[in-house]
Amino acid sequence: MIKKRILITGGAGFVGSHLCERLLNEGNEVYCLDNFFTGQKRNILHLISNPYFELIRHDVTNPYLIEVDEIYNLACPASPIHYQYNAIKTVKTSIMGAINMLGLAKRVNAKILQASTSEVYGNPMVHPQPESYWGNVNPIGERSCYDEGKRAAETLFRDYQHQNNVHTKIVRIFNTYGPRMHPNDGRVVSNFIVQALQNQDITVYGKGEQTRSFQYVDDLLEGMIKTMATDRSFSGPVNIGNPDEFKIIELAEKVIAMTKSKSKIVFKPLPSDDPMMRKPDISLAKKTLDWKPKVELEEGLDKTIAFFKELIK
Ligand SMILES: NC(=O)c1ccc[n+]([C@@H]2O[C@H](COP(=O)([O-])OP(=O)(O)OC[C@H]3O[C@@H](n4cnc5c(N)ncnc54)[C@H](O)[C@@H]3O)[C@@H](O)[C@H]2O)c1
């Protein structure tokens, strides 16, 4: 018997494809909706033959109607290269996508979860960042299309809940990595691994002293699913991320060692609005969801390196 009918927007992307797979494996019927802007068929190719999996080519900026029990709204390019490629489209995807999916949730009485981001904290003045921190975001910078789009989407989630009683959830996702990341989207983990496997110079911005926390994708899925499972008394936002901090330079050295690469580290100027520090305060997730990340950086890197080795061989 099918447990739930679940719509995943952005389901052919990095995180979305893992979520499709996991929710199918748990006995649900999964509808994967994607416009294939950054998502790829190969991410979900292994799911196509499953009769409980359906692929829908659609753009979330247009309304879509389907009878479902739950919606995970992930559609949005997530890496700066991709979201800056067409900044206006990025804002539209976040805001119109949220309006269309919230409208659908209202109509069919589905629970809906928004994949928000730590970028809503901007260049934070508070460290680590709790959910109560309002952020320090530049509204007119190069990253604003993404940051402000996601902030407005959170507002919409809150307002649809208060005004229309839609059952909403917001998770604020911190840096996540794993197999099926886009090989050249400029995200730090995939960048370093691809450069190391090809023995190319590894580019570090600034002096590499800026810190980041890296979460393995399986930990994120667990956090999202646990959030979705909560009742109406909890809607978030809740931080889902790994609080273990690493300097970017440390990550570069670790990747070089693990891939036994001959790459050298080269330094380039810091991009504008690049936050110096990012670390989640996960007390709320621990308390409310009984969730904390389990996968150590080396274990996650090992699986990610294996994926990229296969991809670029
Ligand atoms: N990976 C991370 O570290 C991270 C961190 C914070 C938040 N997030 C959020 O999680 C979600 C998934 O991120 P990801 O890393 O898997 O990125 P991704 O780029 O791999 O996936 C996004 C997916 O959305 C699809 N998409 C984009 N615009 C669309 C549109 N208009 N209509 C339909 N589909 C569209 C893309 O084709 C892609 O499949 C995003 O919303 C992102 O903002 C991710």
Side-chain angles (χ1 to χ4, degrees):
M1 228 207 31
I2 293 297
K3 285 188 190 154
K4 279 175 282 188
R5 298 159 302 172
I6 304 177
L7 175 65
I8 302 174
T9 75
F14 155 52
V15 175
S17 62
H18 287 281
L19 190 60
C20 287
E21 188 174 323
R22 162 107 187 234
L23 292 171
L24 268 176
N25 287 342
E26 290 180 359
N28 302 294
E29 188 155 284
V30 171
Y31 305 99
C32 165
L33 181 153
D34 208 295
N35 72 347
F36 294 102
F37 173 48
T38 51
Q40 305 186 59
K41 281 238 173 86
R42 72 160 176 253
N43 288 344
I44 38 136
L45 215 51
H46 60 298
L47 308 176
I48 301 269
S49 60
N50 187 323
Y52 299 108
F53 179 77
E54 258 178 68
L55 180 59
I56 305 154
R57 181 184 282 269
H58 183 80
D59 193 307
V60 285
T61 57
N62 296 312
Y64 186 77
L65 288 182
I66 187 170
E67 281 286 337
V68 285
D69 306 301
E70 290 179 355
I71 304 167
Y72 287 85
N73 188 36
L74 274 62
C76 184
S79 73
I81 292 181
H82 290 131
Y83 68 63
Q84 285 163 2
Y85 172 77
N86 184 344
I88 297 168
K89 178 70 195 238
T90 301
V91 177
K92 282 186 180 171
T93 296
S94 268
I95 297 181
M96 293 164 69
I99 292 172
N100 288 328
M101 289 305 127
L102 284 161
L104 173 63
K106 180 182 168 198
R107 186 162 173 165
V108 302
N109 199 20
K111 265 187 181 181
I112 179 166
L113 178 142
Q114 167 69 355
S116 190
T117 169
S118 56
E119 300 289 333
V120 300
Y121 299 123
N123 197 349
M125 313 296 266
V126 172
H127 193 70
Q129 295 84 52
E131 291 81 354
S132 54
Y133 178 54
W134 291 354
N136 176 32
V137 175
N138 176 1
I140 50 166
E142 282 176 10
R143 306 170 79 105
S144 314
C145 59
Y146 183 71
D147 303 2
E148 297 289 22
K150 289 284 189 180
R151 285 169 70 94
E154 286 200 7
T155 308
L156 284 160
F157 269 66
R158 187 258 175 211
D159 291 343
Y160 266 78
Q161 187 193 53
H162 281 242
Q163 219 170 304
N164 293 328
N165 203 27
V166 176
H167 192 160
T168 65
K169 315 276 176 199
I170 298 170
V171 293
R172 290 186 181 151
I173 303 169
F174 283 67
N175 261 351
T176 304
Y177 71 97
R180 301 193 202 133
M181 292 180 87
H182 207 288
N184 36 23
D185 68 2
R187 284 197 256 186
V188 64
V189 175
S190 46
N191 244 12
F192 285 2
I193 294 177
V194 171
Q195 288 170 332
L197 288 174
Q198 296 177 333
N199 293 311
Q200 293 167 357
D201 289 346
I202 291 202
T203 354
V204 166
Y205 295 102
K207 291 184 181 142
E209 293 291 314
Q210 66 274 41
T211 61
R212 289 289 184 279
S213 52
F214 303 103
Q215 154 172 255
Y216 188 65
V217 62
D218 288 357
D219 285 330
L220 168 61
L221 299 189
E222 188 68 21
M224 291 172 90
I225 291 169
K226 282 194 157 182
T227 304
M228 186 64 110
T230 55
D231 64 21
R232 277 185 185 271
S233 64
F234 183 74
S235 53
V238 57
N239 289 337
I240 301 291
N242 192 322
D244 292 345
E245 261 181 309
F246 293 89
K247 286 184 183 162
I248 292 294
I249 190 84
E250 283 176 286
L251 176 73
E253 286 160 357
K254 204 177 255 298
V255 168
I256 291 178
M258 288 179 72
T259 51
K260 302 188 177 63
S261 171
K262 298 190 186 72
S263 297
K264 290 193 199 62
I265 297 177
V266 295
F267 297 91
K268 285 200 179 160
L270 269 182
S272 63
D273 291 345
D274 195 43
M276 280 307 287
M277 294 182 297
R278 221 14 115 47
K279 174 180 167 168
D281 176 336
I282 57 165
S283 340
L284 181 67
K286 278 185 178 160
K287 191 171 119 221
T288 320
L289 309 171
D290 189 25
W291 173 91
K292 64 173 194 280
K294 293 195 180 120
V295 182
E296 299 287 341
L297 184 61
E298 291 219 349
E299 185 190 343
L301 281 179
D302 213 38
K303 292 181 182 162
T304 314
I305 290 169
F307 165 80
F308 280 111
K309 260 191 193 157
E310 194 59 33
L311 188 76
I312 61 181
K313 77 177 174 194

